[in-house]
Amino acid sequence: MGQHEEDQERGVEPARPPLTAARAQEMTADLREAMDDVRRSVAVLAARVRDAHAARVLLPLGHGSWESYCDAEFGISRAQAYRLLDVARSLAAIRGAVAASTETSRARDTDPAAAALDYGLSQRALIDVSSRSGDVAELITRRLATLARPR
């Protein structure tokens, strides 16, 4: 089997001509925009999962458990849904710390999509800090207070 056939089997694309710096910057900007869109979407999804969980929407829909609801309605596992709840809790803790320490508008504080984008945090980062959201909120509060002090 030739190299070309082996590369195609592995999903390797054939070599392309080199990009110009301008085209590479354009592609990078497009990628950055797409990543920001994903952060916004995850924040909105997490907030909606949190709201559905808190409202116990599974009961009127006839599901006996959160796991059954998530699987039947969305095809996601209970663990995936709980990770989204962790993301929502982390964002809420961060928003609360920032809101308490700064003079931000209330509309911005309650927008989960803006929060994820403003803080530039990935879903993984939000999950990682979810168990320590109180510590993170305290750290943010201290740092913002330090920055707010006159010099």
Side-chain angles (χ1 to χ4, degrees):
M1 181 181 284
Q3 183 64 39
H4 179 71
E5 289 85 15
E6 285 182 34
D7 286 348
Q8 283 185 332
E9 282 184 15
R10 286 191 234 143
V12 176
E13 292 188 29
R16 295 181 181 189
L19 290 175
T20 65
R23 179 67 182 129
Q25 288 173 342
E26 182 183 325
M27 290 177 76
T28 300
D30 290 345
L31 183 56
R32 188 172 288 116
E33 183 180 337
M35 287 184 181
D36 288 345
D37 290 345
V38 169
R39 283 187 190 107
R40 278 190 291 270
S41 295
V42 167
V44 169
L45 176 61
R48 290 182 181 169
V49 168
R50 178 202 58 217
D51 294 347
H53 185 263
R56 301 191 46 83
V57 297
L58 63 112
L59 296 176
L61 296 177
H63 297 284
S65 69
W66 179 244
E67 181 175 7
S68 168
Y69 171 74
C70 293
D71 181 50
E73 298 293 335
F74 311 109
I76 66 170
S77 69
R78 178 180 178 269
Q80 289 171 305
Y82 276 108
R83 278 192 292 275
L84 289 167
L85 288 171
D86 289 342
V87 167
R89 279 192 282 278
S90 295
L91 284 171
I94 292 167
R95 268 195 314 277
V98 171
S101 301
T102 63
E103 301 273 330
T104 56
S105 75
R106 294 322 268 160
R108 184 172 174 205
D109 293 343
T110 58
D111 181 6
L117 184 61
D118 289 350
Y119 307 132
L121 299 171
S122 68
Q123 181 178 0
R124 167 59 54 208
L126 290 166
I127 291 168
D128 288 345
V129 302
S130 65
S131 64
R132 301 190 60 203
S133 58
D135 296 337
V136 171
E138 182 182 332
L139 176 64
I140 291 169
T141 301
R142 281 197 321 261
R143 294 229 173 129
L144 288 172
T146 300
L147 291 172
R149 286 188 202 133
R151 295 183 184 232

